[in-house]
Amino acid sequence: MQEEQDLQSEAPSGAWQLRWVELGVALFLLIVAGLVIKDSLRLGIGWADDGPRSGYFPFRIGLALAGCSAWLLIQQLLRWPRLRSRVFAERGQLRDVAAVLLPTAVFVAAIPWLGMYLSASLLIAWFMWRNGGYRWPWLVGLPVAVSVSLFLLFERAFTQPLPKGPIEHWLGF
């Protein structure tokens, strides 16, 4: 009975159907597996005098990923008609994901120019303002305190430098 309802109903307008998302992920992973296998073959997948060559383990991981991806692809194609009305995400849910994904992508893209600490401060301030409704004293104070704490932790305690931007260079770090 549930299958009959699934076959008769369609996904709401603006929603991403589960079958397309799962098919896309399976195809994407199959492409990634192909790239891993191809590069592993370039590096060599056998044994050398001193042990396995550079592509030995990645080749096997690529084969496993290709097998899993092919299995997912076959499953999706076999269940294709039954998944017509199943919804992966609706427009509002995708908007919520984009509200986190896009600022995070900007953060990652800004790191080479602004450095890790300033980029992190801006990202924290953005989320505090956009999602938390915080006012200016908090929007400046807390992100700066977090970035200074991260600087002390990574640069001083762990002695692991992170990408620096113009502010750190101006301060002599």
Side-chain angles (χ1 to χ4, degrees), residues 49-120:
D49 293 336
D50 57 348
R53 302 198 65 176
S54 298
Y56 181 82
F57 291 110
F59 177 74
R60 278 136 183 89
I61 291 170
L63 287 178
L65 183 59
C68 292
S69 303
W71 177 250
L72 285 173
L73 189 62
I74 291 167
Q75 278 185 324
Q76 291 316 306
L77 294 175
L78 291 175
R79 299 184 324 173
W80 190 258
R82 291 181 300 179
L83 295 175
R84 179 175 43 188
S85 65
R86 302 269 313 268
V87 174
F88 173 74
E90 295 181 6
R91 189 174 305 214
Q93 295 168 325
L94 294 173
R95 196 173 317 129
D96 291 342
V97 170
V100 174
L101 180 65
L102 294 177
T104 304
V106 170
F107 160 71
V108 170
I111 290 173
W113 290 278
L114 300 179
M116 181 66 148
Y117 305 110
L118 179 57
S119 298

